[in-house]
Amino acid sequence: MVNEATIVCDLSGSMVECGKRYAMNTVLRTIDQYCRMLNPNAEIRLLGWSNEIEDLQWGLGDDLPEKLLDCRGSSDVSTLIRELGDYPDTPALILSDGYWDDPDNEFEGWAESLGDGYVRVILLGADANRKLDAPYVFNVESILAALEEFGD
């Protein structure tokens, strides 16, 4: 279990559909319980991601920010990579439907450059992008498997 991690929540307009915002909240509660059980001192940074990145003030055991229900715009991969960097200090867990603005497949190259266990994408929603297929991509039903060895 990691001591520090960044959770990125896709807040683009496509997350309004099919109850994805509510699924994201459920996943965040699962992560919260998982961390509090295994490492209650873990420091989790929560980011909202669409056209920009917003730092959402949240800690383990806290109520989820209302901002998680405000989804609009598009998810800009370049903005995300600039925020997290080429050599991130903490592992990143990305909660998304996998539909983002990435015409040059920049995300795939970035994620693969980080090495095993450093990034995880959890796909949310029945209409999630199944073309996004890599060892670091998990369906929401596999959230606990995604958390195993995350950041190790």
Side-chain angles (χ1 to χ4, degrees), residues 30-125:
T30 301
I31 294 167
D32 176 70
Q33 291 173 354
Y34 182 88
C35 290
R36 286 194 291 155
M37 181 177 64
L38 295 178
N39 185 1
N41 296 318
E43 294 197 25
I44 306 296
R45 180 179 178 211
L46 186 65
L47 300 177
W49 171 41
S50 59
N51 300 25
E52 300 176 349
I53 299 288
E54 182 176 351
D55 198 345
L56 305 174
Q57 300 301 311
W58 181 73
L60 296 177
D62 291 350
D63 289 336
L64 294 172
E66 288 184 31
K67 177 69 177 168
L68 293 173
L69 298 177
D70 185 20
C71 298
R72 62 181 90 172
S74 62
S75 297
D76 184 344
V77 167
S78 295
T79 300
L80 177 67
I81 292 173
R82 269 193 310 278
E83 176 69 27
L84 298 179
D86 290 332
Y87 305 101
D89 294 332
T90 62
L93 184 69
I94 301 167
L95 308 179
S96 176
D97 60 2
Y99 292 105
W100 45 55
D101 182 15
D102 188 23
D104 300 323
N105 293 324
E106 184 180 8
F107 183 86
E108 184 178 307
W110 173 78
E112 290 176 4
S113 75
L114 298 178
D116 291 340
Y118 222 75
V119 67
R120 297 277 195 269
V121 176
I122 309 301
L123 291 177
L124 303 172

